[in-house]
């Protein structure tokens, strides 16, 4: 038997692999595309079909697939040290990466706690904030403020601070309750505002009201700065994050910025918080940290938070948390190579043209009848498809228009993964202008092909 034969791979996949966020009944009835190779912006399946990777291997890829410099760094590290532990030991790559992260992070974030994925980076952030107040003589500060429509990962703590019923409601009995603030979802503003530019940010006023009531019992606030990702690529109004920072300061609440999706250049700056000129108390990083190569995460924090954990062993101030693969040197070597590429290829500078071009193409989509809103922040875009652009009435969920558009795009050589009826644009940052044109041509044609059949 040839185990790389497409038929065999599909059969084994359907028989044994339980896919994430997937209704497996439907999957089992489908012919899965099996990816076997990556080349720059492209992924290639077992039959040799090429697809432009429009979602950067689920929002992680930065410099393209199989980037020579990162491949070489990983190969060299494999031949040197594959893994050690940060329990009782340090390793050179984890140390050097921590130093690099501190150099590029918003000023004041000077400590790095490693883990393996975005959910654990958030989980650690939440536990750190909770324990911080225990050591500060304010043990009543145990709660968290989170936003409706937020997504912070799938472990229990991360789900607790999430706000997407579709994913989270079934687990409610298992979760710790949070204080939920309104989402800054301007297109579907819960206060009925329709004008994004002059909205007055009533969601912030409501957040302040909640803080006034609850500050004495709140340890931290968790936010996806600039863009709520899985919630639908919801772009916050300018100044929103800065004002959340001010409110956290005023009410003595730790601000946790979840930059798992938006970190590492995605918004046009290295970190989203930088664009609002703020430093959070705690920042969670993953995804782009290794340019999409290997599982790695970092929770960064300030001297102030760190100092609260310093004491004699018997004082019980230790942060008792850690994962087996914490600070894995292969992953850290990949991350270091990625940061070198940011510098050597002047990646952030190169984004200006691409972001401008993307903006033009998105603007043009406003002419398409079933496009309700286009949202963009740097190299992230969300295209919200609606039944009626005038009334903003959504397409009925069960019509699955988003999925159909993405399947149509696949026939045109583009891989996309929607969020409901929101088409997500999130390619590797290294995408060329020609490839970006191909991607946007394909998206526009696919949206037209699927939605223009409808009334
Ligand atoms: N936070 C945000 C903002 C995310 O977008 C994600 C993943 N999409 C996570 C946390 C969780 O990361 P992971 O899937 O690596 O656990």
């Amino acid at each position: 038997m040839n185990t790389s034969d497409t038929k065999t791979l599909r059969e084994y996949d359907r028989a044994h692999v339980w896919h994430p966020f997937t209704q497996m009944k439907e999957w089992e009835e489908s012919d899965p595309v099996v990816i076997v190779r990556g080349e720059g912006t492209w992924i290639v399946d077992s039959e040799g079909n090429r697809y432009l990777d429009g979602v950067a291997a689920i929002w992680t890829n930065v410099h393209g697939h199989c980037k020579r410099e990162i491949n070489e760094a990983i190969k060299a590290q494999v031949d040197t040290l594959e893994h050690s532990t940060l329990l009782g030991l340090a390793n050179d790559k984890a140390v050097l990466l921590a130093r690099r992260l501190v150099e590029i992070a918003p000023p004041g974030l000077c400590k790095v706690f490693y883990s393996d994925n975005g959910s654990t980076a958030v989980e650690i952030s939440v536990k750190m904030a909770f324990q911080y107040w225990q050591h500060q003589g304010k043990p009543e500060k145990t709660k968290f403020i989170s936003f409706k429509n937020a997504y912070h990962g799938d472990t229990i703590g991360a789900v607790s601070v999430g706000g997407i019923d579709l994913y989270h409601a079934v687990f409610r009995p298992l979760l710790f309750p949070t204080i939920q603030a309104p989402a800054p979802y301007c297109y579907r503003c819960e206060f009925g505002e329709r004008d994004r530019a002059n909205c007055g940010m009533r969601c912030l006023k409501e957040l302040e009201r909640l803080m006034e009531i609850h500050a004495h019992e709140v340890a931290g606030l968790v936010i996806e700065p600039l863009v709520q990702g899985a919630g639908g690529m919801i772009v916050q109004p300018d100044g929103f994050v800065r004002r959340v920072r001010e409110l956290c300061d005023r009410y003595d609440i730790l601000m946790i910025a979840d930059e798992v999706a938006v970190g590492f250049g995605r918004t046009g700056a290295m970190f989203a918080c930088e664009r609002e000129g703020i430093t959070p108390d705690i920042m969670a990083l993953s995804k782009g940290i290794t340019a999409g190569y290997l599982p790695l995460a970092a929770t960064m924090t300030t001297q102030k938070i760190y100092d609260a954990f310093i004491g004699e062993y018997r004082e019980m101030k230790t942060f008792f948390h850690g994962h087996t693969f914490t600070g894995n040197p292969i992953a850290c070597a990949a991350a270091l190579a990625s940061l070198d590429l940011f510098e050597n290829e002047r990646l952030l500078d190169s984004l200006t043209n691409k972001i401008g071009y993307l903006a033009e193409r998105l603007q043009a989509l406003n002419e398409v009848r079933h496009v309700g809103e286009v949202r963009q922040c740097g190299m992230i875009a969300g295209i919200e498809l609606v039944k009626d652009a005038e009334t903003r009435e959504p397409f009925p969920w069960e019509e699955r228009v988003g999925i159909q558009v993405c399947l149509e795009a696949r026939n045109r050589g583009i891989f996309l993964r929607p969020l409901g009826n929101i088409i997500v644009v999130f390619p590797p940052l290294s995408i060329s202008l020609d490839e970006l044109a191909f991607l946007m041509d394909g998206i526009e044609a696919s949206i037209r092909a699927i939605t223009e059949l409808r009334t």
Side-chain angles (χ1 to χ4, degrees), residues 22-44:
T22 301
Q23 176 43 254
M24 292 306 291
K25 176 177 184 295
E26 209 169 289
W27 184 267
E28 284 178 23
E29 289 161 4
S30 73
D31 277 334
V33 172
V34 183
I35 298 301
V36 295
R37 213 170 56 245
E39 291 167 5
T41 315
W42 301 81
I43 45 179
V44 185

Side-chain angles (χ1 to χ4, degrees), residues 59 117-119 122 151-153 224 258 260-261 286-287:
W59 316 349
N117 60 71
S119 306
V122 171
Y151 178 84
H152 297 289
E224 293 162 88
D258 174 355
V260 168
S286 189
K287 289 196 188 272

Side-chain angles (χ1 to χ4, degrees), residues 253-273:
I253 289 168
L254 297 180
M255 179 177 181
I256 299 170
D258 174 355
E259 293 229 14
V260 168
V262 294
F264 296 98
R266 190 46 66 175
T267 67
M270 195 50 126
F271 298 106
C273 285

Side-chain angles (χ1 to χ4, degrees), residues 297-313:
T299 302
M300 298 187 70
T301 192
T302 59
Q303 191 72 40
K304 177 182 99 169
I305 306 288
Y306 175 82
D307 282 346
F309 291 79
I310 302 300
E312 299 300 327
Y313 190 76

Side-chain angles (χ1 to χ4, degrees), residues 11 28 40 44 82 108 118 139 165 191 251 297 305 322 343 388 417:
E11 188 185 313
E28 284 178 23
V44 185
E82 79 302 333
D165 281 347
F191 302 99
Y251 291 94
I305 306 288
E343 279 178 23
D388 184 334
R417 173 88 183 167

Side-chain angles (χ1 to χ4, degrees), residues 183-189 193-194 196 199 234-237 373 392:
Y185 190 175
C186 301
Y187 185 63
R188 301 199 180 282
C189 174
E193 301 280 357
R194 279 179 76 95
R196 183 186 180 89
C199 74
I234 312 294
V235 179
Q236 296 151 20
E373 188 185 46
R392 304 188 181 180

